[in-house]
């Protein structure tokens, strides 16, 4: 029998500050304590950040391997370009889903609309063995299904939440949902076969865990709930925006370096060499920006 809801154990880890180009981010995943949540292996909370008059997001062409990038905005706009020839403006509530497979390159650029403010999350999903060497792909979803939570709405980016399913491609059994909550108590249905994480973008939420005060989750931290929970009870006293991600625990031991997700250092070294040599593996991004150069991984550096 499942444990009662108020006995859900919640583990909170603090993210760390990082920088992606000129953009300050909080990296909620991976941390030393937690590498993956389902197949989700990377969560960057970007901003909220206002650029100076001339500025904007500018992430020059760089490669990816063995993962899907999930780009999701709360505010602002970003222009995506990739080596498949895709050029796609993304705005809040829309999903850019890029599947790297055996290799892709992309840039994320300022759409030049002036007065740029940016707030969003970029997440990565590790691809399973049966798709990670496939051709790369890109999907844009301008609209996604929503579910009413009583105290707000859930927008389903990927997978299924309650009875609502996203049309987005999914290579493993996982889910990603934006929660827009008004003050009140919200009961979220969870898939017991999944482990889950809650990342707050704005506001704060108290997760019921059986203790008198519950566990408060604010921007900059990640609240993890292990497999087996059937629901999550959130209390919020202000408007709160959060992402709930989850999935069947990812069994493969992954190797991550830079923008690559693989299974071994050999695979990572190989991808590094391919990018450094400018070979065809990652293609060309039709961008005016200079492609990113990177130093070799530490295990290839000589003293
Ligand atoms: Mn990228």
């Amino acid at each position: 029998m499942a444990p009662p809801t108020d006995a859900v154990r919640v583990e909170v880890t603090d993210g760390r500050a990082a920088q992606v180009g000129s953009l300050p981010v909080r990296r909620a995943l991976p941390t030393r304590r937690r590498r993956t949540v389902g197949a989700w292996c990377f969560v960057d909370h970007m901003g909220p950040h206002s650029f100076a008059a001339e500025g904007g997001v500018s992430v020059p062409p760089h490669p990816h391997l063995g993962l899907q990038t999930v780009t999701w905005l709360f505010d602002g706009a970003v222009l995506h370009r990739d080596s498949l020839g895709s050029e796609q403006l993304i705005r809040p509530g829309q999903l850019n889903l890029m599947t790297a497979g055996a290799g892709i390159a992309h840039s994320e650029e300022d759409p030049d609309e002036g007065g740029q403010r940016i707030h969003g999350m970029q997440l990565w999903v590790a691809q399973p063995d049966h798709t990670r060497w496939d051709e790369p792909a890109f999907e844009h979803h301008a609209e996604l299904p929503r579910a009413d939570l009583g105290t707000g709405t859930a927008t389903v980016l990927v997978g299924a939440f309650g009875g609502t399913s996203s049309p987005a491609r999914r290579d493993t059994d996982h889910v990603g949902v934006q929660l827009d909550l008004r003050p009140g108590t919200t009961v979220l249905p969870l898939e017991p076969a999944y482990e889950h994480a809650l990342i707050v973008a704005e506001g704060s939420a108290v997760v019921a865990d059986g203790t008198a005060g519950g566990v408060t989750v604010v921007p900059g931290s990640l609240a993890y709930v292990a497999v087996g929970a059937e629901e999550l009870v959130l209390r919020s006293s202000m408007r709160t925006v959060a992402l709930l991600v989850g999935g069947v625990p990812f069994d493969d031991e992954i190797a991550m370096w830079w923008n690559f997700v693989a299974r071994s250092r050999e695979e990572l070294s190989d991808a590094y060499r391919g990018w450094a040599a400018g070979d065809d593996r990652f293609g060309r991004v039709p961008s005016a920006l200079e492609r990113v150069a990177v130093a070799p991984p530490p295990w290839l550096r000589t003293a």
Side-chain angles (χ1 to χ4, degrees), residues 62 64 106 108 122:
H62 60 278
H64 284 288
H106 74 143
E108 286 151 307
Q122 190 173 77

Side-chain angles (χ1 to χ4, degrees), residues 133-158:
W133 297 114
D134 288 355
E135 294 289 310
F138 177 77
E139 285 179 11
H140 174 77
H141 296 272
E143 280 185 49
L144 289 160
R146 289 169 186 232
D148 185 19
L149 297 170
T151 51
T153 55
T155 306
V156 186
L157 284 62
V158 60

Side-chain angles (χ1 to χ4, degrees), residues 5 7 51 75-76 114 129 141 146 243 258 273:
T5 291
F51 292 97
D75 194 9
D129 259 333
H141 296 272
R146 289 169 186 232
L243 237 58
W258 196 35
R273 289 192 192 98

Side-chain angles (χ1 to χ4, degrees), residues 70-73 90-97 139-147 153-159 164-169 176-178 243:
V70 172
T71 307
W72 185 253
L73 300 181
I90 179 177
R91 295 186 186 281
Q94 304 182 333
L95 173 68
N96 271 6
L97 179 66
E139 285 179 11
H140 174 77
H141 296 272
E143 280 185 49
L144 289 160
R146 289 169 186 232
T153 55
T155 306
V156 186
L157 284 62
V158 60
T164 306
S165 297
S166 164
R169 169 174 166 172
V177 179
Q178 175 176 335
L243 237 58

Side-chain angles (χ1 to χ4, degrees), residues 63-65 102-103 133 257-262 264-279 281-282 294 297 300:
H64 284 288
L65 169 77
W133 297 114
W257 174 77
W258 196 35
N259 299 311
F260 305 140
V261 171
S264 68
R265 282 189 172 180
E266 288 67 32
E267 290 178 5
L268 294 173
S269 301
D270 208 48
Y272 159 72
R273 289 192 192 98
W275 179 253
D279 70 18
R281 174 176 188 172
F282 299 104
V294 68
L300 290 183

Side-chain angles (χ1 to χ4, degrees), residues 48-273:
H49 182 74
S50 296
F51 292 97
E54 313 270 295
V57 174
S58 180
V59 185
H62 60 278
H64 284 288
L65 169 77
L67 60 89
Q68 293 183 298
T69 60
V70 172
T71 307
W72 185 253
L73 300 181
F74 307 113
D75 194 9
V78 173
L79 183 64
H80 161 97
R81 288 193 170 103
D82 67 36
S83 51
L84 298 170
S86 320
E87 181 176 317
Q88 181 66 55
L89 186 66
I90 179 177
R91 295 186 186 281
Q94 304 182 333
L95 173 68
N96 271 6
L97 179 66
M98 187 180 77
T99 303
I104 195 168
H106 74 143
S107 65
E108 286 151 307
E109 305 181 22
D110 177 11
D112 219 3
E113 295 180 332
Q116 270 295 335
R117 228 179 102 74
I118 195 81
H119 188 201
M121 291 205 193
Q122 190 173 77
L123 307 94
W124 298 352
V125 183
Q127 286 184 254
D129 259 333
H130 69 274
T131 69
R132 70 189 184 99
W133 297 114
D134 288 355
E135 294 289 310
F138 177 77
E139 285 179 11
H140 174 77
H141 296 272
E143 280 185 49
L144 289 160
R146 289 169 186 232
D148 185 19
L149 297 170
T151 51
T153 55
T155 306
V156 186
L157 284 62
V158 60
F161 177 77
T164 306
S165 297
S166 164
R169 169 174 166 172
R170 200 172 63 142
D171 292 8
T172 72
D173 194 358
H174 63 276
V175 68
V177 179
Q178 175 176 335
L179 306 171
D180 287 278
L181 305 176
R182 297 185 295 270
T185 299
T186 309
V187 180
L188 303 177
L190 299 184
E191 167 53 60
Y194 289 1
E195 51 186 354
H196 290 87
L198 183 76
I199 307 111
V200 172
E202 194 182 326
S204 89
V206 176
V207 183
D209 72 337
T211 63
V215 178
T216 302
V217 188
V218 295
S221 59
L222 176 146
Y224 172 82
V225 176
V227 163
E230 291 185 339
E231 57 186 33
L232 203 61
V233 180
L234 301 182
R235 243 178 24 248
S236 203
S237 58
M238 63 186 94
R239 196 186 95 86
T240 296
V241 180
L243 237 58
L244 176 75
V245 297
V248 170
F250 197 71
D251 281 337
D252 293 14
E253 190 72 37
I254 60 173
M256 271 177 83
W257 174 77
W258 196 35
N259 299 311
F260 305 140
V261 171
R263 299 295 182 273
S264 68
R265 282 189 172 180
E266 288 67 32
E267 290 178 5
L268 294 173
S269 301
D270 208 48
Y272 159 72
R273 289 192 192 98

